[in-house]
Amino acid sequence: MNLANRIQRLRKARGISQEELAEGLGVSRQAVSKWESEQSMPELDKAIQLSEFFGVTTDFLLKGVEREDSPEKKGERAGLFVLTATALHVIGLTVSAAIWYEKQTAAAVAVCAVFMALGCMVFGIGMYGAASKSKPRAKRNFWTVNIWLLLFTPCSLLYNFLFGGIGAPYPLLWRPWQAFPIFWLVYIGSCLTFLFLQRRFDR
């Protein structure tokens, strides 16, 4: 991997555009584009600025001499933890729905809760070991997808208890039929509200 690729990978690991990197360094977007496409090389002072901006050594930036705790590696690890946590949540929902469909037992909800807890633990471990500059992007990616998975079963339980007295992990059809659209309005509204508040507080 050459200097151009390292600059591009560090930028993407941090989740910023060429314009944002250029603004942070006080150069034009075209200059950053030329660095990443190997049309030009950053001058020494800009190379030092780049290393400080990304929190890496100039040796890593210029020569590719990696440290074990380099932000690029930690950023990649954080993304892997987010994917693993999301997979656990999807598996939990799928398995719990299958168990309920076949047996209508409370074990379905318990299985879902276990998988959701495991997914959140995996995400928490990933955030603990991630580079601080990669955390905002990893958190944003995690919550953008997983809030929809994490709130689905609690909203379904509340809806099913209110209208049928049953603790199913997914929404069932009850009378009055108008209740079913209300479930989706509450569920979608709750997820969107959480995402709005989460992004607002992260600014």
Side-chain angles (χ1 to χ4, degrees):
M1 185 188 300
N2 55 27
L3 173 61
N5 290 332
R6 280 191 289 276
I7 294 173
Q8 186 178 70
R9 289 190 65 182
L10 285 167
R11 175 177 63 78
K12 289 183 176 179
R14 190 163 175 180
I16 60 175
S17 64
Q18 289 184 341
E19 290 86 352
E20 290 169 316
L21 176 56
E23 185 178 343
L25 298 175
V27 299
S28 66
R29 188 200 65 79
Q30 289 78 8
V32 174
S33 177
K34 287 181 179 179
W35 295 343
E36 292 187 0
S37 60
E38 298 184 79
Q39 295 179 40
S40 67
M41 297 273 287
E43 296 178 359
L44 180 58
D45 61 326
K46 295 303 177 187
I48 294 172
Q49 272 187 272
L50 279 166
S51 66
E52 292 174 350
F53 185 88
F54 290 120
V56 298
T57 64
T58 52
D59 276 348
F60 169 74
L61 187 68
L62 300 173
K63 302 176 184 177
V65 178
E66 295 191 36
R67 296 185 305 182
E68 187 158 348
D69 60 345
S70 71
E72 183 184 17
K73 280 191 172 183
K74 288 189 174 181
E76 289 174 354
R77 281 191 224 128
L80 182 61
F81 277 102
V82 169
L83 286 173
T84 304
T86 302
L88 285 170
H89 292 160
V90 171
I91 291 169
L93 282 177
T94 305
V95 172
S96 67
I99 292 173
W100 179 266
Y101 183 79
E102 290 292 329
K103 300 181 178 180
Q104 288 80 48
T105 174
V109 177
V111 167
C112 184
V114 168
F115 273 93
M116 295 298 169
L118 283 173
C120 290
M121 286 176 59
V122 167
F123 172 67
I125 293 169
M127 289 300 94
Y128 179 79
S132 58
K133 291 180 180 178
S134 71
K135 288 181 181 180
R137 184 188 184 193
K139 283 174 62 179
R140 185 169 62 249
N141 290 342
F142 176 81
W143 288 117
T144 298
V145 175
N146 285 273
I147 192 60
W148 301 92
L149 304 173
L150 289 168
L151 287 185
F152 185 77
T153 295
C155 288
S156 298
L157 286 172
L158 179 61
Y159 161 77
N160 288 319
F161 271 124
L162 286 175
F163 292 97
I166 295 176
Y170 56 85
L172 304 173
L173 283 173
W174 303 106
R175 290 184 179 179
W177 306 115
Q178 293 84 350
F180 194 65
I182 292 174
F183 161 79
W184 290 106
L185 286 173
V186 171
Y187 166 63
I188 294 171
S190 299
C191 292
L192 292 177
T193 300
F194 178 90
L195 290 173
F196 172 77
L197 293 174
Q198 189 252 338
R199 290 179 182 177
R200 185 171 182 180
F201 287 123
D202 280 351
R203 286 177 181 175

